[in-house]
């Protein structure tokens, strides 16, 4: 549908568009914000789905972006780097429940829960990225599968967990956790995988417009700076455009982050 509408968009003088997240979602009708596998752009039969995501196959995406570019329209990739959903298997982990309205206040004791924190991407078979994910790579979850209980759970183990990331918005005490399983951007394996993904997704799709970054008030601000600087340097595009989603009534927060990203 997007490719078919390009003549009309060109006629209107449109020079830049933001497409929905191209990645594999946890369910077939997912819009991509329920991010399962960023390295699958509609190429592998994962999560009980055929090749196509809700928006189409990878080849259709690349074709549409190529046609847009020929008409002088840049495409932004919507990057969902904050969380994952649709884990392949559960793990027993150690966690503590926190107050949803004050994430710094623990309201229970550390206990063993079951969480969907294991991501193996078997159908992709290590193509593009060999990383598989486990609880080491996350800070929190909202579901204890053992007791079928919903809440906000801060992961404490196994492994070396540092708690919520302090470099996030201070709403609700600490707004690191948003939904699903929350990604820990301090983990070296997470950082390495994302640093590879940034340049790759723009080169693989031909999307020269840059990024729309989802839910950045919940993400490590230092990681965001590093991610954009690395992608710009790798592609030799110091002017690569990026816009972030940050819901707040306090302009000072946005300005301080904007100054760091310039």
């Amino acid at each position: 549908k997007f490719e078919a509408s390009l003549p009309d968009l060109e006629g209107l003088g449109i020079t830049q568009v933001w497409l929905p997240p191209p990645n594999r979602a946890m369910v077939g009708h997912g819009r991509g914000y329920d991010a399962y596998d960023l390295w699958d752009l509609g190429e592998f039969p994962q999560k009980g789905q055929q090749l196509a995501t809700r928006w189409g196959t990878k080849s259709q995406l690349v074709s549409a972006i190529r046609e847009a570019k020929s008409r002088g329209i840049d495409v932004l990739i919507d990057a969902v780097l904050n969380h994952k959903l649709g884990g392949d298997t559960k793990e027993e982990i150690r966690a503590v429940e926190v107050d949803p309205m004050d994430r710094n206040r623990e309201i229970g004791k550390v206990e063993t829960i079951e969480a969907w924190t294991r991501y193996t991407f078997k159908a992709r078979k290590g193509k593009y990225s060999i990383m598989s994910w486990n609880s080491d790579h996350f800070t929190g979850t909202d579901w204890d599968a053992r007791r079928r209980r919903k809440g906000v759970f801060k992961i404490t183990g196994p492994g070396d967990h540092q708690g919520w990331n302090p470099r996030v918005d201070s709403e609700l005490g600490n707004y690191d956790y948003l939904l699903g399983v929350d990604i820990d951007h301090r983990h070296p394996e997470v950082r390495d995988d994302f640093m590879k993904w940034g340049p790759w997704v723009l080169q693989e799709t031909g999307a020269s417009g840059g990024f729309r970054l989802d839910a950045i008030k919940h993400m490590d601000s230092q990681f965001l700076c590093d991610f954009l600087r690395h992608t710009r340097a790798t592609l030799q595009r110091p002017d690569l455009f990026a816009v972030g989603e940050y819901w707040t009534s306090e302009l000072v927060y946005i300005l301080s982050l904007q100054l760091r990203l310039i």
Side-chain angles (χ1 to χ4, degrees):
K1 291 182 179 180
F2 168 63
E3 187 166 0
S5 69
L6 285 170
D8 291 336
L9 295 176
E10 181 184 20
L12 290 171
I14 301 297
T15 59
Q16 187 182 74
V17 295
W18 153 33
L19 293 183
N23 53 269
R24 177 70 59 193
M26 70 175 290
V27 292
H29 61 272
R31 291 171 169 79
Y33 298 105
D34 52 335
Y36 168 70
D37 185 3
L38 296 187
W39 295 93
D40 181 2
L41 306 179
E43 187 178 359
F44 306 96
Q46 299 196 93
K47 304 309 289 180
Q49 306 167 38
Q50 299 302 313
L51 298 184
T53 68
R54 178 190 178 104
W55 314 116
T57 65
K58 178 183 176 182
S59 61
Q60 290 172 326
L61 173 67
V62 171
S63 174
I65 291 175
R66 184 187 305 115
E67 179 64 19
K69 197 170 183 178
S70 74
R71 295 176 179 275
I73 301 175
D74 285 335
V75 172
L76 300 181
I77 292 293
D78 198 336
V80 184
L81 308 178
N82 177 70
H83 54 266
K84 284 188 174 295
L85 290 102
D88 296 305
T89 57
K90 294 175 287 188
E91 294 182 298
E92 284 193 349
I93 64 173
R94 300 287 284 171
V96 60
E97 189 172 4
V98 302
D99 183 347
M101 302 307 296
D102 181 359
R103 308 296 175 76
N104 292 320
R105 188 173 79 89
E106 299 177 358
I107 58 175
K109 62 182 181 180
V110 175
E111 59 185 338
T112 299
I113 70 171
E114 287 187 349
W116 291 92
T117 48
R118 193 85 172 91
Y119 291 74
T120 56
F121 318 117
K122 288 184 178 180
R124 185 158 52 77
K125 299 179 180 178
K127 187 173 182 180
Y128 305 127
S129 170
I130 62 172
M131 181 176 174
S132 61
W133 295 63
N134 59 55
S135 63
D136 290 349
H137 304 119
F138 303 108
T139 63
T141 184
D142 62 355
W143 181 249
D144 174 9
R146 171 176 287 186
R147 300 172 181 83
R148 300 191 61 80
R149 180 164 56 109
K150 189 171 178 61
V152 179
F153 301 96
K154 180 173 63 177
I155 299 173
T156 62
D160 180 23
H161 286 272
Q162 303 175 56
W164 304 130
N165 195 308
R167 295 187 291 264
V168 297
D169 193 272
S170 60
E171 186 178 345
L172 303 182
N174 177 292
Y175 219 164
D176 186 8
Y177 185 81
L178 176 63
L179 56 87
V181 285
D182 184 75
I183 294 172
D184 188 349
H185 299 92
R186 297 163 295 189
H187 196 290
E189 292 176 354
V190 170
R191 290 176 59 87
D192 182 64
D193 199 59
F194 280 158
M195 295 303 174
K196 293 174 182 174
W197 182 84
W200 173 85
V201 73
L202 297 183
Q203 291 176 316
E204 192 77 7
T205 62
S208 57
F211 293 110
R212 182 266 184 187
L213 299 163
D214 183 61
I216 64 172
K217 72 184 291 181
H218 311 282
M219 293 171 59
D220 184 337
S221 58
Q222 184 59 56
F223 163 78
L224 285 169
C225 294
D226 294 343
F227 174 79
L228 287 176
R229 287 169 182 151
H230 172 80
T231 302
R232 287 166 174 161
T234 301
L235 299 179
Q236 298 183 332
R237 290 277 311 279
D239 60 342
L240 182 72
F241 180 80
V243 59
E245 177 200 22
Y246 198 122
W247 291 86
T248 182
S249 60
E250 300 294 336
L251 183 60
V252 64
Y253 294 149
I254 297 176
L255 291 176
S256 63
L257 181 57
Q258 182 183 36
L259 289 172
R260 296 177 62 192
L261 294 175
I262 294 176

